[in-house]
Structures are given as C-alpha cells and as structure tokens.
Amino acid sequence: MATQQQPATGVEKKPVPIVAYLHLPESPDDEPYLWGNKCKSCGAVYVGSRMACSKCSSSELEEIRFSNVGEIWTFGVVHQSMPNVPTPFVAAIIDLPEGASVRATVTGLDPTQPDPAWFGKKVQMYLEKAYTNKQGDDIITYKYRPVEGS
Ligand SMILES: [Zn+2]
C-alpha cells in the first residue's frame, strides 16, 4: 500500500446512482429518470442496457427514457431486510407506460395495512440517498410514492 493514489481534497463529491440505469440530474433544469433499451426490430423494452434483444435476438437497440410515473402492478410487504433498512416497507413492481417494469420500494402507503386498492395505483418516482460509501460518495437510489389524488 505504498504508492496508492490519494483522493484529491477539496473536490466536490458527486452523487452516484445505485444502478446504471438511473440518470441523476446534472443541472438544475435536468430531471432524474430511468432509462432502458428498446428493440428497433420487435419493440421489446428492457430496463438498462442490453447487447441484444432476448425476444428476437436483434442487436439493433435504441436507448429510451422512461416516464417517472407508473402504476403498481403487484406489491408485497417486506418484514426483514439488510441491517439499517427499516422494516416493514412496501416493495412493488411498477409498470411503466413504455412497456417495462421495475422493482422498487413504495413509500407513503402504510405497510401494516396492505390494501388491494393499491393495485394499479399511480406512483411517482423520486430520489433518496441510500447510503454513503467508503469513499464518502452519496449513493442515490430511486423510490416511488403515490401521485396526489390518485
Ligand atoms: Zn427484438
């Protein structure tokens, strides 16, 4: 461990997305969003990056940006998680209008009172700091909460 490069001091820490397919805003007018790949040949949609389409094996994929509002397709209540993650919480699969779905935590719903009315509920994505890593960078995750009035 003699000549390891030391971290520069006075450099502004940049937030780091917890997954590669989460875009963090880079300027005040930029918005966070999830992105994925869409097959140009058959239209299949994937979260994140793909080398080839698993439906038709085409390698002609284009990047697409997902909307920040989706609908709860299904959900469960998690009672045990990693240390430092408060339980219970609602974990859901969110259908996005572009044809993909993502797994995410949903806040703003009472996990002790699960309700079938949550199926199909409109939810909005937001960012939250998940933790700070050993280098001192803030790791940013995405969660969802119900859209007001839905
Ligand atoms: Zn395809």
Side-chain angles (χ1 to χ4, degrees):
M1 299 294 281
T3 55
Q4 283 256 317
Q5 200 179 341
Q6 293 301 309
T9 51
V11 172
E12 204 179 317
K13 290 288 181 191
K14 208 174 163 219
V16 179
I18 197 160
V19 286
Y21 54 85
L22 170 61
H23 168 85
L24 298 179
E26 283 160 7
S27 71
D29 0 293
D30 197 8
E31 277 190 14
Y33 59 86
L34 301 177
W35 59 271
N37 279 171
K38 183 174 186 175
C39 176
K40 285 183 175 178
S41 171
C42 77
V45 172
Y46 303 95
V47 174
S49 178
R50 284 260 170 164
M51 294 298 288
C53 177
S54 62
K55 294 213 168 86
C56 76
S57 30
S58 165
S59 54
E60 297 277 300
L61 299 157
E62 59 185 345
E63 192 173 313
I64 59 162
R65 173 179 170 164
F66 295 123
S67 336
N68 286 343
V69 175
E71 283 183 6
I72 294 178
W73 179 62
T74 189
F75 65 88
V77 175
V78 177
H79 291 277
Q80 274 196 334
S81 187
M82 292 175 288
N84 307 322
V85 175
T87 55
F89 63 87
V90 176
I93 295 176
I94 315 289
D95 276 342
L96 303 174
E98 291 76 20
S101 51
V102 287
R103 202 178 174 284
T105 296
V106 178
T107 61
L109 300 172
D110 182 357
T112 67
Q113 306 281 325
D115 189 338
W118 296 351
F119 294 117
K121 195 171 202 44
K122 275 204 165 66
V123 288
Q124 163 97 44
M125 190 185 85
Y126 70 97
L127 300 181
E128 194 173 277
K129 183 177 131 180
Y131 59 94
T132 302
N133 70 10
K134 285 178 188 158
Q135 289 76 40
D137 301 313
D138 287 343
I139 309 300
I140 308 298
T141 189
Y142 62 94
K143 292 184 177 180
Y144 288 82
R145 59 184 159 220
V147 172
E148 290 295 318
S150 74

